Amino acid sequence: MNDAVEKLLNSAVEALQSGNPAICISLTSQALQDLAPGDRRIPEALSLRGTARLPLDAPLAMQDLQQAVQLDPQEPQFLTALGQAFSSLGMLNEAEAALRQAWQFSKGHPVVTSGLARVLLHRGKAFDAVQLLGPLVEKGNANSGHIRQFAEALFRSGDIYGARDLLGQFFGPDGPQTPEDRLQLARIDLAVRDYGSAEKGLKALLKSDPDSVPALMSAVRLADWKNDEAGLKGFTERLANLCGDRADALSLVIEHSRELSASLLQRAEKLLAEPSRMAEEQATLGFALALYFDRKGDFERAFKIAQQTNERLALHRRAVQSPEKRAEIKAEMLAQLKRASELTKMVQGVADTGALSEFIYLIGAPRTGSSLIQSILAAGRGIESVGERTSLYPYLMDVVSRDIGVPAIERLIMDLAKADHAGLERERKTANVIVDKTPHHIFAAGLLQKVNPRSKFVHVFRDAGDVALSMFLRPFSEYFAEATSLDAVADMLEVRLTAHQLWSEAGLPLTVFSYDRFVSAPQKQGERLFGALGLAWKETYLDPRVRPEAVQTFSSRQVRQAITAKKAPHWASYESFAPDAFARLAEVSAAQNAIIDTKV
C-alpha cells in the first residue's frame, strides 16, 4: 500500500474537518493522480474532494460524489456524502433516496439515521421519521440529537403530548437548558394551548436574546391566537426589522400586515425571484404575498403570483400536474378507495361495548370550513376537539396499499384501537365525544370505523370553486399535490364524490353538511347538524368567545371571528383568469348540491 497516498488522504480529511476545503481539494487531486486504476481508494478520494468542492463548485462536486458511489455503490460513507450534498442543494428527493440506501447498507448507523431523519422532516414526512427514529430511542441507542429529532417528528405527526412527555423525560427536573430546547418546548406548549407556559418560555427567551427571530416568530403566533392586537403589532414590527432574508419569517410578517411598505415589498419580491433559494421557503413567501394582494383586492396580481409560485413548487417537487399525471393519480385514488371498501366488508372490527368515546370525524376536503365546524362542535358540553389527528391514517392506508391477509389486518385494527385510546388518555382527552378533522380520512372511513366502532362521519361540502381557489392560494404540503393546480383540485373533489357514494352504500353513519348554507343561516344549520349527530344545541356555540382554542390550520383566524356570509363566491373575482377550470369546478359544485338537496 502506498504510504504517500495514505498520508495525502489522511491530511485531506484533517483539512476538511478544520475548514480548509482548498487544501483538501489539492491533496485529494494529488492522491487521485498517484492512484492506479482500480485502486479501492479512488472512490474515497473522490468523495472527499466532492465534499470539499461543494461550497465552491457544486456541479464539479456532484460529479465527484456520484462517481464515488458508482465505483462503490454499497459503501454507506459515500452514499451519505452524496445524500448530504443533495440535501444542501435543496434536492430533497435525491437526498432521501441516497440516505435511505446508506441507512440500509450501514444497518441503521446513528449518523446516517440522523441525516435521513433530518431530510424526512424537511420533506414533511414526519410519520416516516417517527418510524425511523422510534426503534432507536426505544432500544436506548439514541443520542441527544436523535431524541430531539424524535420529539420533533412526534410533534409534526400530531402526537404533541407524546413529544412533550419525551422532552420532559429527556430534560429532567431542571427543564431545558439551551435556547433551542426552550423554543421547542414553547412551540409544543403553544400547540397544546398551554398559553401561560408558552408565554413564560418565550418571554424568558426574548429577555436573554431580544433579537431571536425564531422566538419572535412563535411570539407572533401566540399573540395572534390570543387576539393580542398590541402584542401582535409590536412583535411583527420587530420581526420585520430583524428577519433579514429569512423567507419564512418575512412570510409571517406579510401575513399579519395590513399595509406593506415599499421597502418590505421590494425585499419580498427580491427573495421570491432568487433562483438559488429553496423552493419550499419561496413558496411560503409567494403565497403570503398572493394573499396580501388578495386582501387588497388586486386579484390579477394575486393570481399571477400564486400561479407562478405553484408552477415552481410543483416543478421543484417533481409533481407537475400534467393531464397524464392527473389521470394516473385519479386512477390510483379510485383503486385505493375500492380496495378500502372491499376490506371494510371483509374484516371484523373492535366490538362496541358502549364504554368507549364516540368519535365524530369531519371528512370534508381541505378549505371546506371544517375547522370552524369542529370548533363549534367542540363548544358543546362533554365534547372535545383533537384537531387534525392523523396518527391512524398512515397505518390504514398502508393496509390498503399492500396485499396482506385479513387476519393480519384484524390484528392491526385491534392494536390501533388500543394505541389510539392510550394516546387519547395521554392527551387527557376523555370526553364522551371526540371530534377529529382530517381530510384524508375519507379514503379510509370504513376501516376507521372498524378501529373506533362508535364513529360518525360528517362530509362537509363547500362551493368547489372556493375550495380550489383557497387551496391554490396557500402553501400546502406535498401530500396535497393537487393544490398546485385548479384542475387537479377538481379531480380530487370528483374522487371525493365517488367516496361519498361508496361509503353511503356501505352503510356508514354519514351526515352531509353544507358550509355555504351554514354561513348563510348559522343558527338553523348548526342546530340541524347537532340534531343529526344526537347532540344538544345552544346558539351560544356560535360565539367565538366560547371557543378559545388554537387551531393549527390556515383557518385559525376564521375560527375566532364572527360567522358571516359573502355576497358572492370568492372565485368569481378570479374566474376570468382560468375560465375553463372554474367552469369545471362549477359542475362539481352542482353535483355536491344534488347530494346536499337529497340528504338535507
Side-chain angles (χ1 to χ4, degrees):
M1 185 173 291
N2 189 329
D3 290 338
V5 169
E6 285 298 307
K7 290 179 180 178
L8 286 171
L9 293 178
N10 289 335
S11 296
V13 171
E14 292 176 3
L16 186 62
Q17 291 174 341
S18 61
N20 294 308
I23 294 176
C24 180
I25 294 169
S26 175
L27 293 170
T28 49
S29 297
Q30 185 177 339
L32 286 166
Q33 289 178 349
D34 294 344
L35 289 168
D39 193 298
R40 65 175 180 80
R41 292 170 294 179
I42 291 176
E44 179 186 355
L46 286 168
S47 185
L48 273 171
R49 188 173 71 176
T51 302
R53 276 177 164 173
L54 193 61
L56 306 173
D57 191 331
L60 277 179
M62 296 309 297
Q63 287 181 22
D64 281 347
L65 292 166
Q66 289 173 320
Q67 188 179 352
V69 170
Q70 289 170 0
L71 290 171
D72 194 349
Q74 295 188 11
E75 172 51 55
Q77 178 184 342
F78 306 151
L79 284 163
T80 300
L82 179 61
Q84 291 172 338
F86 278 133
S87 179
S88 70
L89 297 173
M91 303 171 68
L92 298 184
N93 290 336
E94 294 83 353
E96 181 183 342
L99 289 170
R100 279 194 184 278
Q101 285 186 294
W103 186 82
Q104 291 168 354
F105 288 129
S106 71
K107 298 181 180 179
H109 190 282
V111 173
V112 183
T113 301
S114 180
L116 178 55
R118 191 178 304 112
V119 169
L120 290 172
L121 289 170
H122 276 309
R123 294 199 67 198
K125 294 186 174 183
F127 179 72
D128 289 354
V130 168
Q131 290 186 309
L132 178 76
L133 294 162
L136 198 66
V137 174
E138 290 168 6
K139 292 177 182 177
N141 297 329
N143 59 33
S144 59
H146 295 132
I147 292 173
R148 288 182 172 93
Q149 284 184 318
F150 189 45
E152 183 68 16
L154 289 171
F155 175 77
R156 295 193 194 184
S157 64
D159 191 356
I160 302 171
Y161 285 90
R164 187 159 74 167
D165 290 347
L166 177 68
L167 289 177
Q169 295 170 11
F170 175 62
F171 296 143
D174 294 332
Q177 301 300 310
T178 69
E180 293 77 15
D181 289 336
R182 290 193 186 109
L183 180 61
Q184 188 177 28
L185 205 56
R187 288 171 55 231
I188 292 174
D189 288 336
L190 192 57
V192 299
R193 302 189 291 278
D194 189 348
Y195 294 155
S197 295
E199 188 169 20
K200 181 179 178 182
L202 290 172
K203 279 184 176 179
L205 275 169
L206 289 170
K207 183 178 180 180
S208 61
D209 184 4
D211 295 343
S212 170
V213 170
L216 282 169
M217 290 174 67
S218 289
V220 167
R221 295 188 177 101
L222 177 60
D224 180 31
W225 288 343
K226 290 181 66 179
N227 284 323
D228 178 4
E229 291 294 335
L232 182 61
K233 184 175 183 295
F235 287 129
T236 301
E237 289 176 352
R238 287 171 62 187
L239 188 60
N241 292 328
L242 293 167
C243 68
D245 63 351
R246 279 195 57 163
D248 55 348
L250 191 55
S251 301
L252 202 58
V253 171
I254 293 172
E255 179 185 348
H256 295 286
S257 297
R258 294 182 180 178
E259 294 289 341
L260 294 181
S261 65
S263 61
L264 196 145
L265 182 58
Q266 187 177 23
R267 279 166 60 193
E269 291 177 333
K270 181 181 177 181
L271 286 174
L272 199 57
E274 288 183 8
S276 60
R277 297 186 63 82
M278 287 189 59
E280 298 289 340
E281 293 178 359
Q282 284 180 312
T284 303
L285 181 59
F287 291 120
L289 207 54
L291 285 169
Y292 170 78
F293 287 115
D294 176 76
R295 295 194 299 271
K296 303 295 288 183
D298 191 344
F299 302 118
E300 183 174 3
R301 196 169 183 182
F303 188 82
K304 182 179 179 180
I305 292 173
Q307 187 173 46
Q308 291 173 343
T309 302
N310 277 307
E311 288 174 354
R312 187 170 183 179
L313 186 59
L315 189 63
H316 170 72
R317 291 174 174 173
R318 297 187 176 181
V320 175
Q321 300 298 295
S322 65
E324 296 78 16
K325 182 66 175 178
R326 284 174 31 228
E328 178 186 333
I329 292 172
K330 189 173 183 180
E332 182 180 350
M333 292 171 71
L334 290 170
Q336 287 181 332
L337 260 176
K338 183 179 178 183
R339 170 72 171 159
S341 177
E342 291 171 347
L343 288 175
T344 298
K345 298 172 185 176
M346 295 166 60
V347 303
Q348 296 293 318
V350 177
D352 184 1
T353 63
L356 301 175
S357 296
E358 176 182 308
F359 286 80
I360 298 174
Y361 292 103
L362 302 176
I363 55 174
R367 306 305 299 157
T368 53
S370 295
S371 291
L372 175 61
I373 307 305
Q374 181 182 34
S375 179
I376 291 170
L377 284 169
R381 186 174 182 181
I383 307 172
E384 285 188 285
S385 164
V386 292
E388 292 195 16
R389 196 164 182 266
T390 59
S391 51
L392 294 180
Y393 175 76
Y395 293 102
L396 296 177
M397 291 310 295
D398 184 57
V399 164
V400 171
S401 62
R402 291 195 294 130
D403 186 16
I404 59 178
V406 170
I409 297 174
E410 291 179 340
R411 287 195 297 272
L412 176 63
I413 285 172
M414 297 299 173
D415 291 341
L416 289 177
K418 293 177 183 177
D420 195 38
H421 291 288
L424 287 169
E425 287 182 6
R426 185 175 64 237
E427 297 174 28
R428 301 178 183 86
K429 299 292 184 180
T430 57
N432 296 328
V433 180
I434 302 294
V435 188
D436 192 348
K437 178 193 83 77
T438 306
H440 280 125
H441 274 157
I442 195 171
F443 300 108
L447 293 172
L448 198 58
Q449 194 190 37
K450 299 294 182 178
V451 175
N452 291 314
R454 302 187 68 203
S455 297
K456 296 178 181 178
F457 300 88
V458 179
H459 195 170
V460 183
F461 286 114
R462 182 186 179 189
D463 184 295
D466 275 353
V467 169
L469 176 64
S470 191
M471 293 183 72
F472 194 71
L473 290 172
R474 287 170 173 81
F476 277 83
S477 74
E478 62 184 289
Y479 288 106
F480 295 90
E482 68 272 9
T484 61
S485 161
L486 294 172
D487 280 311
V489 176
D491 293 339
M492 178 269 292
L493 294 175
E494 287 174 351
V495 171
R496 285 176 168 272
L497 289 172
T498 302
H500 181 90
Q501 180 182 351
L502 277 175
W503 297 128
S504 294
E505 292 172 353
L508 259 67
L510 193 58
T511 298
V512 172
F513 192 71
S514 168
Y515 171 80
D516 300 295
R517 297 186 187 187
F518 170 68
V519 296
S520 296
Q523 162 64 18
K524 177 182 176 182
Q525 293 298 323
E527 185 175 8
R528 188 191 72 77
L529 176 62
F530 272 65
L533 295 172
L535 304 173
W537 165 256
K538 290 184 179 179
E539 188 174 357
T540 55
Y541 297 160
L542 298 174
D543 186 344
R545 290 173 295 183
V546 305
R547 301 183 270 109
E549 74 277 6
V551 173
Q552 299 278 70
T553 70
F554 300 124
S555 304
S556 59
R557 195 169 294 108
Q558 175 207 26
V559 167
R560 301 191 308 276
Q561 295 175 342
I563 299 166
T564 56
K566 295 182 178 179
K567 296 180 180 179
H570 193 188
W571 64 264
S573 300
Y574 290 84
E575 184 177 10
S576 61
F577 309 130
D580 293 340
F582 283 116
R584 184 180 168 209
L585 287 161
E587 294 176 0
V588 175
S589 291
Q592 292 177 169
N593 289 334
I595 293 174
I596 295 167
D597 291 337
T598 302
K599 297 290 181 73
V600 176

